[in-house]
């Protein structure tokens, strides 16, 4: 046997425990104690730092007074995916980073967990907080049922417009459903949130319908008063080295999708696993494959820790789960036997005087049964081909501050446009675009 890849390296119960939630929900007592720690700052730096402008002291005050429905309304009124965001936002770089409690002695208020606590209340009890304005008679097409598309659709529906979401997959949710780490999005949280969003009414969801295959942009522009594009990243970057297609080499995002969709004990797991990349996708696959029972997991990044896309917190999550992170090395060769991966050769890197990264010529080899490529995703603009295409910039769809593209009736947002590539920023893009579309429909 060349490769040691097996399903069920751990028994199902051990796997289940390994995939328990990163941040378990707060108890009522914890939520009350935590909300009492908030100083309700007048200038609220946390609200400034939240990409969706949630009035954070406002919702925490409502939790403190036992008004969970009111707290959830404050959150979801700005960020309809506030439940997911409470779980997955890199709060250590957003709202919690600027909390004034952040001192040597004290930790910040756990804003994300409080946000989840309040929104769980309305989702679990199915309290619909939003209703539609009188029907406007306007029709908008939304392409992509991820966070950007869903947020845009929800806000447009609230404003009384009729929306059709075209989603190429069988299920909506985008990376919330297929990408976020399983230990951040347990059970059916993503689907529950989508159901809550659609429950407002006025949103027709068409799954299995792909822009660029089943219809093109020109058709949508003829049929609808406005179009929003939220395609996300629809392609992955390649290493560009020999043997990239041998057995045992995977795109991390494809395997992460299996982790979210399949029975965990049926997934193939190598004894020795190598992950290439330094972003959150690299961390997510490294941690999850370790939780599935891989013996060694080594994540290799070409630059230093300080230049990693993954936050310091995510790096710690990897390390505390037994992932070894090696820096300053780039893949040089993929070694194989009979078309099966056996090892990866890396070359050390250093920065030259002009700041450019270059190989030093020194190499090392890591034995590998599985190799996961997590070096980034990108936008493949082919689905946008039409008689008129929105302008692009830096490989993404170019938009202005209102998420408006170069075409008068087309808006875009989320990962297919420039930005931070987070769930919370995609939600904000969708919301801003919806408000701008509403303005356009009402005033031209
Ligand atoms: C592995 C991984 C882990 C992540 N972890 C986090 C995290 O912990 N926290 C965080 O904040 N962010 C995280 N992100 C980033 C976050 O998931 C994205 O920024 C966010 O999902 C972007 O939303 P979107 O709507 O722009 O795109 P997507 O979520 O990608 O949704 C786009 C949707 O469009 C559909 N689509 C694509 N092409 C077509 C077409 N031609 N026609 C019709 N539909 C189409 C897709 O099927 C998809 O449903 C992670 C990303 C990845 C890959
Ligand atoms: S949406 Fe994210 S950044 Fe904004 S307050 Fe909630 S957890 Fe913090």
């Amino acid at each position: 046997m060349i490769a040691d890849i097996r399903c069920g390296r751990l028994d199902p119960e051990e796997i289940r425990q390994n995939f328990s939630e990163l941040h378990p929900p707060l108890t009522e007592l914890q939520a009350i104690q935590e909300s009492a720690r908030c100083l309700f700052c007048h200038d609220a730096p946390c609200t400034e730092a939240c990409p969706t402008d949630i009035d954070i002291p406002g919702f925490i005050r409502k939790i403190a007074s036992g008004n969970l429905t009111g707290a959830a309304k404050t959150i979801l009124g700005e960020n309809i995916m506030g439940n997911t965001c409470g779980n997955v936002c890199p709060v250590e770089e957003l709202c919690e980073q600027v909390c004034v409690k952040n001192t040597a002695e004290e930790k910040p208020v756990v804003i994300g967990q409080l946000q989840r606590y309040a929104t769980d209340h309305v989702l679990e009890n199915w309290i619909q907080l939003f209703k539609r304005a009188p029907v406007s008679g306007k029709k908008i097409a939304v392409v992509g049922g991820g966070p950007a598309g869903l947020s845009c659709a929800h806000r447009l529906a609230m404003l009384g417009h009729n929306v059709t979401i075209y989603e190429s997959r069988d299920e909506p949710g985008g990376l919330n459903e297929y990408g976020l780490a399983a230990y951040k999005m347990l059970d059916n949280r993503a689907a529950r949130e989508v159901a809550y969003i659609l429950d407002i009414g006025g949103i027709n969801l068409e799954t299995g319908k792909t822009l660029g295959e089943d219809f093109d942009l020109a058709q949508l522009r003829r049929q609808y008063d406005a179009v929003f594009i939220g395609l996300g990243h629809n392609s992955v970057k390649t290493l560009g080295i020999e043997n990239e297609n041998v057995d045992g080499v995977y795109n991390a995002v494809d395997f992460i999708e299996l982790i979210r969709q399949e029975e965990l004990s049926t997934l193939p797991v190598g004894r020795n696993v190598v992950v290439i990349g330094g972003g959150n996708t690299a961390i997510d696959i490294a941690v999850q494959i370790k939780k599935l029972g891989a013996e060694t997991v080594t994540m290799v990044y070409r630059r230093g820790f300080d230049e990693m896309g993954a936050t310091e917190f995510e790096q710690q999550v990897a390390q505390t789960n037994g992932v070894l992170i090696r820096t300053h090395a780039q893949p040089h060769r993929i070694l194989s036997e009979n078309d099966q991966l056996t090892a990866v050769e890396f070359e050390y890197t250093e920065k030259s005087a002009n700041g450019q990264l270059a190989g030093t010529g020194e190499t090392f080899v890591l034995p590998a049964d599985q190799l996961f490529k997590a070096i980034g995703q990108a936008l493949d603009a082919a689905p946008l081909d039409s008689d008129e295409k929105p302008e692009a910039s830096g490989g993404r769809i170019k938009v202005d501050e209102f998420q408006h593209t170069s075409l008068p009736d087309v808006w875009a947002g989320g990962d297919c446009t420039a930005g931070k590539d987070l769930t919370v920023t995609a939600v904000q893009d969708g919301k801003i675009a919806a408000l701008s579309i509403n303005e356009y429909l009402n005033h031209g």
Side-chain angles (χ1 to χ4, degrees), residues 116-286:
R116 176 188 164 176
Y117 180 74
T119 52
D120 267 349
H121 167 73
V122 296
L123 289 168
E124 273 160 18
N125 296 299
W126 209 254
I127 302 169
Q128 184 50 262
L129 296 171
F130 303 97
K131 59 172 195 268
R132 300 188 68 197
V135 174
S136 68
K138 303 286 186 191
K139 295 185 303 174
I140 298 103
V142 167
V143 183
L150 288 163
S151 160
C152 183
H154 186 264
R155 185 60 57 146
L156 287 167
M158 264 173 79
L159 293 164
H161 307 304
N162 284 337
V163 183
T164 299
I165 301 179
Y166 293 101
E167 165 56 52
S168 58
R169 291 176 180 269
D170 294 338
E171 299 293 337
L175 289 169
N176 280 12
E177 180 62 46
Y178 297 101
L180 299 176
Y183 53 86
K184 293 183 187 168
M185 293 293 286
L186 241 53
D187 307 323
N188 63 347
R189 305 189 70 83
R192 181 180 72 170
E193 194 169 56
V194 172
Y196 187 82
I197 288 172
L198 299 182
D199 187 55
I200 189 172
I203 305 174
N204 168 35
L205 173 65
E206 300 261 350
T207 53
K209 295 281 167 58
T210 302
L211 176 70
E213 288 177 20
D214 300 310
F215 48 87
D216 69 10
L217 189 56
Q219 277 168 287
L220 291 183
R221 293 179 68 199
R222 278 195 299 276
Q223 283 171 20
Y224 292 89
D225 297 300
V227 178
F228 174 80
I229 302 169
L231 292 179
H233 283 143
N234 50 359
S235 70
V236 284
K237 293 184 183 160
T238 56
L239 297 171
I241 56 176
E242 221 179 299
N243 282 343
E244 215 170 317
N245 293 324
V246 296
D247 287 346
V249 180
Y250 306 76
N251 287 321
V253 283
D254 295 340
F255 202 88
I256 287 172
E257 181 175 336
L258 293 179
I259 295 175
R260 283 297 300 278
Q261 302 298 316
E262 303 291 329
E263 171 55 46
L264 294 175
S265 57
T266 65
L267 297 174
V269 179
R271 178 187 288 269
N272 296 307
V273 176
V274 173
V275 174
I276 298 175
N280 285 341
T281 304
I283 300 271
D284 282 1
I285 187 65

Side-chain angles (χ1 to χ4, degrees), residues 49-52 54 56 79 85-86 89 91 94-95 111-112 115 424:
C50 169
T52 48
I54 293 173
I56 295 167
N79 178 341
C85 288
C89 268
V91 286
L94 299 172
C95 51
I111 298 167
Q115 179 170 311
V424 65

Side-chain angles (χ1 to χ4, degrees), residues 7 48 64 97 140 152 166 168 178 183 225 244 290 299 338 386 421-423:
C7 306
E48 287 278 301
Q97 186 186 43
I140 298 103
C152 183
Y166 293 101
S168 58
Y178 297 101
Y183 53 86
D225 297 300
E244 215 170 317
K290 186 77 181 134
M299 194 176 131
N338 300 332
S386 192
D421 294 352
L422 294 172
T423 307

